[in-house]
Amino acid sequence: METLIRRAASLLASAHRLVILTGAGMSKESGIPTFREAQDGLWASYDPQQLATPQGFRANPKLVWEWYQYRLGLVEQAEPHAGHLAVAALEERARGAVVITQNVDGLHARAGSRDVLELHGSIRRFKCLRGHRGMSMDDLAGQEGTPPLCPRPGCGALVRPDVVWFGEQLDHVVIQRAFVESEACDVMLIVGTSGVVHPAASLPYQAWNRRARIIEVNPVPSELTDLAHVFLQGPAGQVLPNVLTAVDDQRTVR
Ligand code: OAD
C-alpha cells in the first residue's frame, strides 16, 4: 500500500490540472449513508422510483418531502471528516483543481474546497415546481403544507429539494464545465463512487481517453477500477490523509 500511496502522491504532486471526482462513499465516514451498498445503502431500504423521480414526487409529494427532510437532518448533523479536509488541501496545493461531486451534502465546501461542481444539486437548497429557485429552509419558515408552498408573491406552487432526480437533466452549465475539466485534466482522483450513474460515470472515460492518469480510492473495486492507474483500496477518511502526507513529503524533497 505504501508504494501505491507514493505512486499516487507523485502523480498528484506533478499534476498540472487536477479533477477530484467524488461520490457517496466520500461522505460515508461523516455518517451519511451511500446508495448501493448491499447492507446499509439507501436503495437497499428505499425505492428510488418512489423517492427520487419527478413521477414519485407528483404521486406522493408528502412522502418525498419527508424523506428529504430526514436526509437533510443527517446532513445538518454531519461534519466533514479527515478525507474531506485532505481533498481541500490537495486542491489548494495543485496548480489548478476542481472538485466534481455527485453528493448533495455540501461537505466539500464546508471542509474548505473552493471550486466544487455539484452535479446532482444540493439538499440544502429548494425550488418550486414553477421554477423559482435559490430558497433555503429559512426562506420557507412559516410556509404552510408538507411540502411547503412557494413563498414568492402570487406563486404558491409546491416546493421540492433542488436536487437532480432520475430522469431529470443535470444543470447545463455545471455538467458542461465538468466535461471540459475532465477532458483538460492530467490527473483525476476518483473517490467513493460505484461509477454506475451517468453522466457522472462518463467523466473518468473522458479523462482516460485524453491520457490523464487515474487514481481511485474505494474500499472495494468499482465499475471504474479498470481505468485506474493506481487503485488505493480503503476508506476515504484513512487513505486520503495518507496521500496528502505523501504529497507533502514529495514537495519537501523537491
Ligand atoms: P453508490 O452508493 O452507488 O456507491 C458508493 C461507493 O462508495 C461504493 O463504490 C462503495 O464501495 C464506496 N465506499 C463505501 N464506503 C467508502 C468509504 N469510506 N470511502 C470511500 N468509498 C467508500 O454512490 P454513488 O456512486 O455516489 O444520485 O451514486 C451515484 C448517484 O446514485 C448518487 O449521487 C445518487 C444515487 O442514486 C441521485 O440520487 C440522482
Side-chain angles (χ1 to χ4, degrees):
M1 186 67 166
E2 257 178 49
T3 313
L4 290 176
I5 296 240
R6 271 204 301 277
R7 198 179 298 163
S10 123
L11 293 174
L12 288 162
S14 56
H16 290 278
R17 236 182 142 68
L18 171 65
V19 166
I20 305 175
L21 174 68
T22 68
M26 180 76 231
S27 294
K28 184 168 176 178
E29 289 149 278
S30 291
I32 299 176
T34 60
F35 294 94
R36 286 177 190 76
E37 286 184 281
Q39 297 299 316
D40 49 5
L42 288 171
W43 298 152
S45 334
Y46 298 100
D47 177 4
Q49 281 305 320
Q50 230 182 4
L51 295 167
T53 64
Q55 298 84 334
F57 184 69
R58 271 199 300 276
N60 196 340
K62 182 169 182 289
L63 177 78
V64 175
W65 178 261
E66 285 174 346
W67 190 64
Y68 274 88
Q69 288 291 298
Y70 152 71
R71 288 182 53 206
L72 178 60
L74 294 180
V75 164
E76 281 177 343
Q77 282 165 26
E79 294 293 333
H81 61 70
H84 290 104
L85 299 175
V87 164
L90 288 171
E91 186 190 344
E92 196 185 283
R93 283 158 181 68
R95 277 160 259 195
V98 58
V99 176
I100 304 178
T101 189
Q102 297 164 84
N103 299 344
V104 295
D105 54 37
L107 287 178
H108 283 301
R110 282 177 57 199
S113 283
R114 288 161 199 254
D115 195 0
V116 184
L117 296 177
E118 293 181 312
L119 294 179
H120 294 164
S122 168
I123 200 167
R124 298 142 75 98
R125 261 193 334 259
F126 301 88
K127 62 182 181 184
C128 83
L129 293 189
R130 289 213 186 102
H132 296 122
R133 302 186 74 148
M135 293 173 238
S136 67
M137 272 314 278
D138 286 348
D139 297 325
L140 299 172
Q143 286 303 110
E144 272 177 44
T146 312
L149 304 179
C150 180
R152 296 287 174 91
C155 183
L158 287 181
V159 169
R160 55 161 281 183
D162 195 355
V163 298
V164 177
W165 283 330
F166 291 106
E168 292 187 315
Q169 299 286 325
L170 277 67
D171 181 291
H172 177 69
V173 174
V174 172
I175 188 60
Q176 185 111 333
R177 189 165 163 232
F179 272 106
V180 168
E181 294 287 351
S182 299
E183 283 170 10
C185 71
D186 56 348
V187 177
M188 179 178 273
L189 170 62
I190 305 171
V191 186
T193 180
S194 53
V196 298
V197 174
H198 289 268
S202 321
L203 299 173
Y205 292 88
Q206 304 294 321
W208 191 86
N209 282 336
R210 301 285 178 120
R211 301 190 183 285
R213 302 283 107 179
I214 312 282
I215 304 163
E216 186 186 25
V217 178
N218 201 311
V220 298
S222 75
E223 289 296 312
L224 301 169
T225 306
D226 282 349
L227 295 184
H229 299 93
V230 183
F231 177 55
L232 301 173
Q233 186 152 18
Q238 281 174 32
V239 174
L240 291 170
N242 291 340
V243 170
L244 176 64
T245 305
V247 167
D248 284 343
D249 287 350
Q250 299 208 2
R251 284 158 55 101
T252 317
V253 170
R254 273 162 194 225

